[in-house]
Amino acid sequence: MMRVYVEDLSRHVGEDVEIAGWLYIQRGNNKLRFLQVRDGSGIVQCIVAKNDLGEEVFELAKAMTQECSLKVRGTVNADERAPGGHEIVAKEVELVGESNDYPISPKEHGDAFLLDNRHLWLRSKKQHAVLRVRHEIIWAIRDFFNNRGFLLFDTPMFTPNAVEGTTDLFEVSYFDTSAFLSQSGQLYGEAGAMAHGRIYTFGPTFRAEKSKTRRHLTEFWMMEPEVAYLDLDGDMQLAEDMTMYILERVLEKRRPELEALERDISKLEAVKRPFPRIHYDKAAETLIKYASEHPDEEGAPFTHGEDFGARHESILTENSDSPIMVTHFPAEFKAFYMKRDENQPDRVLGFDMIGPEDAGELIGGSVREDDYDKLVSRIKEHDLPMEPFEWYLDLRRYGSVPHAGFGLGLERTVKWIAGRDHLRECIPFPRMMYRMKP
Ligand code: 4AD
Ligand code: MG
């Protein structure tokens, strides 16, 4: 009998097939059992009748417990009322592996318990759906850049220098010396862009963030395009095009998952280009006005020149269906490599893309300083050691060109699109300040 996956059942209506998976749940009486069997690709209801299978097999099926593994062989019926549109009328049922006292029952569990059991929690319907949305986002990103002639450029995880500031570096021993885990592949990506014109990196990044927010992991995945001869407007256009491509792809391919997550899909469908571009000064004005109208609200007070907090990002996107792009942040709290605006030298030619529905910062990007002397002074101003950056300065010594790029936080994007509360559900095994297990 042919082994098929639940997601392919529509091609086998009327045929006899074998399904191999795990028992999600079962119900029924002493003559008829309804086994919900999941195989990773979907869930199908299998009808087990005592009259068809005989006493012994029926009793075996009836005694099967949550998450035991099993095989069911039977006939595929199309049935609109059945979840997924199909059911299997069983002819044989076989127990593969027992599962006694499975710890995660359909009742509510606390967060800590679920995280301790993440290796099993992954099997639950919503967690299953989130990771399939994540998968789709990753492939949409790859397709978007591959279709546009970008080269996938893998950058190292062990690095000798800081990229995004020195405070949140993980230092690891490296033979007789020490290394830092990469906070961003960008600097290497710039070398790639000088060789290939357009590249993107996609890999894990590490930040020793001592923050316990819903938006921070210590290990997260970032995708960073880098493009030679690109300016700020072009950089933002690329980010907008990519974001729309991802959204359209997930809406096209992962509707069942979004529905399983009870995501309000109309909110995703409401996202439209162009995304508003807002100068930092204008954003600051909005925040100051808001704070004066809501003097008692926690997190709302704001002074011009500050970086945004989570509450500020929410206020700025409150009336927008689409992500917004804030430009020209004060250089003071931005990275050393960002190019300054000639007309406003205390500002950087950079942008943050902030998502709607409280999604927070999804993307940070900028034009890079391409002038050798200015870059040397920036490295000094940021108290960074010169020696590890010599190779990076070579990119300004030999055929320097204007160039730009950005970094998209994968888990933040998954959190937004899948409508989750916390980043810890958006990666298979989350790493946070207070959690490294399982
Ligand atoms: O804004 P960030 O720090 O930018 C960079 O690292 C640049 N080198 C990118 C570039 O221009 N090539 O980080 C980029 C994105 C953020 O917008 C956010 O989505 C995500 O990475 N991010 C985090 N995600 C999860 N946990 C954390 N601790 C994160 N820190 C940043
Ligand atoms: Mg940022």
Side-chain angles (χ1 to χ4, degrees):
M1 217 174 279
M2 178 146 99
R3 164 87 55 80
V4 301
Y5 281 101
V6 170
E7 66 184 355
D8 299 327
L9 283 176
S10 63
R11 298 208 297 266
H12 300 278
V13 175
E15 294 171 23
D16 280 2
V17 300
E18 178 181 85
I19 294 287
W22 297 262
L23 182 65
Y24 198 69
I25 203 166
Q26 68 162 303
R27 60 186 177 83
N29 53 36
N30 284 327
K31 291 194 174 122
L32 203 56
R33 306 296 305 173
F34 300 94
L35 274 55
Q36 306 247 346
V37 178
R38 55 166 204 89
D39 73 346
S41 78
I43 297 186
V44 66
Q45 174 161 284
C46 301
I47 300 166
V48 177
K50 197 192 270 185
N51 282 347
D52 299 342
L53 282 89
E55 180 95 34
E56 197 182 324
V57 179
F58 183 81
E59 289 306 323
L60 172 87
K62 190 174 165 220
M64 285 181 174
T65 49
Q66 188 188 357
E67 288 303 322
C68 75
S69 46
L70 76 164
K71 290 178 182 170
V72 178
R73 291 177 277 276
T75 315
V76 182
N77 276 351
D79 182 348
E80 274 180 18
R81 290 159 307 164
H86 301 91
E87 58 185 20
I88 292 181
V89 180
K91 292 182 169 169
E92 293 169 49
V93 178
E94 183 189 325
L95 179 68
V96 177
E98 291 181 358
S99 166
N100 295 312
D101 306 317
Y102 186 70
I104 303 178
S105 57
K107 75 168 178 28
E108 292 279 310
H109 294 283
D111 292 338
F113 177 83
L114 289 171
L115 285 167
D116 285 343
N117 287 287
R118 181 64 175 165
H119 52 294
L120 301 175
W121 189 27
L122 292 171
R123 303 180 188 189
S124 303
K125 266 186 195 161
K126 285 191 177 166
Q127 299 308 310
H128 180 264
V130 175
L131 291 189
R132 289 168 101 77
V133 171
R134 176 185 169 107
H135 169 91
E136 201 63 53
I137 293 172
I138 293 171
W139 284 101
I141 291 170
R142 289 181 173 257
D143 286 344
F144 174 82
F145 286 106
N146 293 344
N147 292 342
R148 287 191 175 210
F150 282 63
L151 186 88
L152 174 61
F153 186 81
D154 299 316
T155 55
M157 297 295 110
F158 286 129
T159 62
N161 53 307
V163 185
E164 298 297 328
T166 48
T167 50
D168 57 6
L169 282 171
F170 278 113
E171 194 168 356
V172 294
S173 77
Y174 193 81
F175 304 108
D176 305 337
T177 167
S178 64
F180 301 112
L181 295 182
S182 175
Q183 299 167 302
S184 155
Q186 179 199 318
L187 304 190
Y188 296 100
E190 290 182 48
M194 300 307 131
H196 295 274
R198 294 166 288 183
I199 63 93
Y200 67 102
T201 73
F202 208 147
T205 44
F206 306 88
R207 296 197 189 174
E209 307 246 26
K210 291 206 180 70
S211 49
K212 288 181 280 177
T213 76
R214 299 175 292 125
R215 292 176 185 171
H216 289 93
L217 296 170
T218 53
E219 177 180 328
F220 64 98
W221 284 64
M222 186 156 41
M223 190 287 307
E224 298 178 275
E226 194 67 35
V227 185
Y229 296 103
L230 190 70
D231 62 9
L232 182 60
D233 283 338
D235 203 24
M236 289 193 283
Q237 193 57 53
L238 187 66
E240 180 183 294
D241 289 351
M242 179 198 67
T243 306
M244 289 307 294
Y245 188 90
I246 297 171
L247 264 182
E248 281 159 15
R249 175 73 131 324
V250 174
L251 284 169
E252 182 196 326
K253 299 252 178 152
R254 297 294 172 180
R255 241 164 227 274
E257 282 84 354
L258 295 175
E259 282 161 11
L261 291 164
E262 297 168 75
R263 178 72 169 102
D264 181 351
I265 294 174
S266 69
K267 289 261 187 347
L268 297 176
E269 287 170 335
V271 176
K272 293 268 144 47
R273 63 180 103 211
F275 300 169
R277 271 74 162 162
I278 302 166
H279 191 288
Y280 172 88
D281 291 344
K282 193 91 189 108
E285 220 172 85
T286 306
L287 291 173
I288 290 163
K289 179 159 177 283
Y290 182 95
S292 75
E293 287 164 3
H294 303 80
D296 300 325
E297 197 184 303
E298 212 185 311
F302 188 81
T303 15
H304 188 280
E306 277 187 80
D307 198 0
F308 303 150
R311 183 63 196 126
H312 301 131
E313 292 175 346
S314 305
I315 295 165
L316 290 172
T317 48
E318 229 160 40
N319 298 315
S320 180
D321 290 334
S322 302
I324 63 167
M325 296 186 175
V326 180
T327 65
H328 297 87
F329 283 91
E332 210 174 309
F333 56 80
K334 287 292 186 189
F336 78 95
Y337 54 73
M338 290 192 186
K339 191 177 172 74
R340 305 284 177 98
D341 186 354
E342 272 176 20
N343 306 315
Q344 240 185 328
D346 61 333
R347 303 312 177 83
V348 291
L349 291 172
F351 73 98
D352 277 5
M353 189 180 95
I354 306 169
E357 298 181 82
D358 237 355
E361 182 195 324
L362 302 171
I363 291 179
S366 73
V367 179
R368 323 307 188 184
E369 183 51 72
D370 54 314
D371 178 80
Y372 176 84
D373 293 324
K374 286 184 183 150
L375 190 55
V376 168
S377 359
R378 294 287 128 70
I379 293 172
K380 287 183 182 151
E381 281 163 26
H382 280 79
D383 279 331
L384 294 165
M386 199 56 71
E387 197 278 326
F389 288 100
E390 283 301 331
W391 70 266
Y392 185 61
L393 288 164
D394 272 354
L395 306 178
R396 278 70 179 168
R397 288 187 185 105
Y398 306 109
S400 190
V401 298
H403 61 289
F406 62 79
L408 165 110
L410 177 63
E411 290 75 17
R412 298 248 183 119
T413 307
V414 175
K415 177 179 175 293
W416 168 43
I417 294 179
R420 307 321 293 157
D421 287 338
H422 202 299
L423 280 196
R424 66 190 170 206
E425 287 184 41
C426 302
I427 186 166
F429 292 96
R431 295 291 174 249
M432 292 167 285
M433 190 180 175
Y434 293 111
R435 174 165 296 274
M436 236 190 15
K437 73 167 196 181

